[in-house]
Amino acid sequence: MKENFARSGTLFLQYLKRDWKKIIFWITGLGLFSAVFVPAFEEIAKGQGLTGMYETMQNPAMTAMVGPTPVDSAAEYTVGAMYTHEMLLFCGVVAMIISALHVVSHTRKEEDLGLTELVRSFQVGRQANSLAVLLEVTLINIILAAVISVIMMSFNADGFSVSGTVIFGTSIGAAGLIGAVIALAASQLMPSSSGASGLTLGIIGLMYIIRAGTDTVNTDLSMLNPMGWTYLTFPFTENNVMPLIYTAAFLIIVSVIAFTLEGYRDMGAGYLPERAGHPQASRMLLSVPGWFFRINRSVIISWMIGFIAIGAAYGSIYGDMQSFIESNAMIQQMFTTTGVSIEVSFTGTIMAVVISLVSILPIVIVNKLYNEETRQHLSQIYATRVSRGKLFFTALGLAVTVGFIGTLISALGLGLTALGSMDNTSVISLSDFINSGLNFFPVVLFFTGISSLLLGWLPKFGKLVYIVLVYSFFLDYFQGILDLPEWVEKTAVQSFLPRVPLDSFEWGPFLIITGISIFLMLLGYIGYKRRDLA
């Protein structure tokens, strides 16, 4: 038994050395995202902010999205309780997904690429790699939990006790470990890394959906869900450590199952048989556009469902908007304009948020072309009469198309839900929501253009576009309260577009940003046509 894990410590140290840049980015990024918004929540809590937020969060749709709170009245709703209510579940899910993808990438994916076989050719136990990866993820999540706790303590905010901050950070770290062991088990069951990733993300999504139902019906039922253990600790209110104990038991049990399954599994095989394909390829696969859509189909469908859910989640707020916005001066400054109805003022700002999320899918699709390139999957295609230009513009065309559809369905999801929650008392119509979404479509084109430019000239830095997107989003979203110079605000592409329906639509900015986006795409094509392939 011991020989199965031989040299796992050596591999563990090597993995830390190999992944140190990723680990720093992982811990810093998620740590800051989870803890750095404490001052912003203190601002929101001023005046009647806590009362308004508490009443808004009692909406069943909001409970399904962010989870419940043990607080029974607005008078007991502290800043810490509000922070936990809105942040803990979401941060836990993010930690869970990142850890899960890391485990699959360093176990089953390396096995598919033949790297694991190379490592095992030395005096290394057949399960040493999995143990080393699990130890690495465990260390990362322990450090992450500590970083989150320390950052939150540093603000010295009222209602943020030391015990509460420790439990908050530990809950997020525990969520990451849950995702890791689920991914390790899935890697034994599935015949490929893509299947393991899909199964893991599917389990995480299913747990989220199940807890959304149990949270709105009976919170006690959520305690049967491993995802429930990540937020039912209720930091700063109950400080319940029992879910963490359940998590520890779950980690041990699933880890033992995963290692047992791996011990009896042949390398490159899985316990679940690979689904047999059709004897003949469908007509769709006979064309480059059909093939590229096929390899992106699952991602597109998942994101489209997500766009509808995001639109519906924001739309459900409209019914309680009056009490929510009027409860706090900072929120009024962000979302209202003198002489304009709250719904109209709120819609333009929320649509800017939604469109930033929609922009992610086209970026993913453009980057998919480079992923296929690095895996040498395009070699056989380029051996035929298919040109680079055809592949480039196929990816670009699909990205723009799904960006447009995503913009439309997110606007529809937002509008239909909002109108339904306002009981026919709204001064805004469905067409206003659609027009607001389409008004921001050049933003989607702009980030698609940047992604195309990087694909053509600097493909290894393709993910830098996400940094630009996040920067632009935060700058535009908080410009009403940051009091920044105008030239700084104009570095966000969204700032050049009017806030429809608050403002009138303007063709000038719309066409200029669209033209710049097309120019970036053409520059990207020139680079892609000239550069060496990976």
Side-chain angles (χ1 to χ4, degrees):
M1 182 67 180
K2 186 177 181 180
E3 62 271 13
N4 287 339
F5 302 104
R7 300 294 180 90
S8 57
T10 303
L11 288 178
F12 167 65
L13 295 176
Q14 288 297 320
Y15 291 164
L16 291 178
K17 183 178 179 180
R18 176 188 63 180
D19 298 331
W20 69 270
K21 292 181 181 178
K22 178 181 179 181
I23 293 171
I24 291 175
F25 184 77
W26 179 348
I27 294 175
T28 304
L30 186 54
L32 290 175
F33 179 79
S34 301
V36 81
F37 295 109
V38 172
F41 275 73
E42 287 185 298
E43 288 294 323
I44 293 174
K46 290 181 179 179
Q48 296 298 314
L50 283 174
T51 302
M53 185 64 74
Y54 177 80
E55 296 299 332
T56 300
M57 300 305 287
Q58 296 310 299
N59 187 319
M62 297 304 297
T63 300
M65 185 168 66
V66 302
T69 178
V71 177
D72 296 324
S73 66
E76 301 174 358
Y77 200 57
T78 63
V79 181
M82 178 174 64
Y83 198 89
T84 297
H85 196 181
E86 295 192 35
M87 295 292 294
L88 184 53
L89 172 59
F90 182 69
C91 294
V93 171
V94 173
M96 197 177 290
I97 292 174
I98 294 175
S99 296
L101 294 179
H102 182 81
V103 169
V104 173
S105 176
H106 286 350
T107 54
R108 195 54 204 248
K109 185 176 180 179
E110 291 189 355
E111 188 173 327
D112 292 346
L113 295 174
L115 299 177
T116 302
E117 184 177 9
L118 180 63
V119 171
R120 288 186 186 179
S121 65
F122 297 93
Q123 294 180 349
V124 175
R126 70 191 310 270
Q127 294 178 283
N129 177 63
S130 296
L131 179 59
V133 172
L134 194 59
L135 291 174
E136 180 190 28
V137 174
T138 300
L139 178 62
I140 291 171
N141 281 284
I142 290 174
I143 297 175
L144 174 64
V147 167
I148 293 172
S149 300
V150 170
I151 294 175
M152 296 184 77
M153 290 179 195
S154 67
F155 291 112
N156 197 26
D158 291 337
F160 285 78
S161 62
V162 174
S163 58
T165 55
V166 171
I167 292 177
F168 188 95
T170 305
S171 298
I172 295 176
L177 292 177
I178 290 174
V181 297
I182 290 175
L184 186 62
S187 295
Q188 315 313 318
L189 295 174
M190 302 305 291
S192 65
S193 60
S194 59
S197 298
L199 177 60
T200 303
L201 296 178
I203 292 173
I204 294 174
L206 182 62
M207 289 192 299
Y208 183 88
I209 293 172
I210 291 174
R211 60 131 294 273
T214 55
D215 282 350
T216 55
V217 177
N218 186 350
T219 306
D220 292 337
L221 296 176
S222 297
M223 194 62 80
L224 302 175
N225 186 339
M227 185 173 286
W229 305 332
T230 65
Y231 62 91
L232 293 179
T233 51
F234 293 133
F236 312 117
T237 50
E238 294 186 350
N239 289 333
N240 185 7
V241 297
M242 284 305 299
L244 297 178
I245 296 175
Y246 299 152
T247 299
F250 178 82
L251 296 178
I252 294 172
I253 293 172
V254 177
S255 297
V256 170
I257 292 174
F259 283 114
T260 302
L261 291 174
E262 186 180 26
Y264 291 97
R265 179 176 65 84
D266 292 332
M267 182 181 293
Y271 285 93
L272 298 180
E274 197 164 6
R275 186 172 63 89
H278 296 288
Q280 294 180 337
S282 65
R283 295 185 62 86
M284 181 179 69
L285 294 177
L286 299 178
S287 66
V288 172
W291 162 77
F292 197 70
F293 172 78
R294 177 63 182 80
I295 63 176
N296 286 282
R297 184 177 63 183
S298 299
V299 173
I300 292 173
I301 293 174
S302 300
W303 275 95
M304 291 300 175
I305 294 173
F307 294 152
I308 296 173
I310 291 168
Y314 279 118
S316 65
I317 301 175
Y318 277 70
D320 303 309
M321 189 180 302
Q322 187 76 27
S323 60
F324 169 59
I325 292 182
E326 291 182 351
S327 64
N328 182 271
M330 188 183 87
I331 299 175
Q332 289 181 24
Q333 189 176 359
M334 290 175 62
F335 294 113
T336 62
T337 302
T338 304
V340 180
S341 70
I342 293 176
E343 293 91 344
V344 171
S345 181
F346 186 77
T347 298
T349 302
I350 288 301
M351 190 54 68
V353 175
V354 173
I355 214 69
S356 296
L357 298 174
V358 172
S359 299
I360 297 175
L361 179 56
I363 296 172
V364 170
I365 290 176
V366 172
N367 287 338
K368 178 68 173 178
L369 186 59
Y370 181 65
N371 292 338
E372 295 298 310
E373 179 184 332
T374 55
R375 295 173 183 174
Q376 306 299 318
H377 291 173
L378 302 183
S379 301
Q380 296 183 26
I381 295 179
Y382 282 132
T384 66
R385 298 175 62 182
V386 176
S387 66
R388 292 193 189 187
K390 186 168 186 178
L391 269 176
F392 181 86
F393 286 112
T394 294
L396 197 58
L398 181 61
V400 172
T401 300
V402 299
F404 178 80
I405 296 174
T407 301
L408 191 60
I409 65 172
S410 60
L412 284 171
L414 176 66
L416 291 173
T417 309
L419 294 174
S421 66
M422 288 187 286
D423 299 325
N424 299 321
T425 60
S426 174
V427 297
I428 192 172
S429 64
L430 181 61
S431 61
D432 291 324
F433 288 96
I434 296 175
N435 292 336
S436 180
L438 296 179
N439 169 70
F440 281 109
F441 181 60
V443 174
V444 179
L445 295 178
F446 180 77
F447 288 108
T448 305
I450 294 179
S451 186
S452 303
L453 182 67
L454 293 173
L455 173 65
W457 296 95
L458 299 169
K460 292 183 179 180
F461 298 93
K463 294 184 179 180
L464 288 178
V465 67
Y466 292 112
I467 298 177
V468 180
L469 177 61
V470 171
Y471 166 80
S472 185
F473 162 72
F474 277 106
L475 194 63
D476 181 71
Y477 188 62
F478 293 107
Q479 65 177 351
I481 61 174
L482 294 178
D483 194 26
L484 296 172
E486 184 178 357
W487 69 268
V488 176
E489 294 179 358
K490 290 301 181 182
T491 57
V493 64
Q494 294 95 320
S495 64
F496 290 95
L497 294 167
R499 288 287 196 272
V500 177
L502 175 63
D503 304 316
S504 300
F505 175 79
E506 297 179 15
W507 278 106
F510 187 94
L511 294 176
I512 290 174
I513 296 176
T514 300
I516 293 174
S517 304
I518 294 174
F519 178 70
L520 293 174
M521 295 174 190
L522 293 176
L523 283 180
Y525 166 66
I526 294 172
Y528 187 75
K529 188 177 180 180
R530 293 182 178 181
R531 72 171 172 84
D532 294 332
L533 296 177

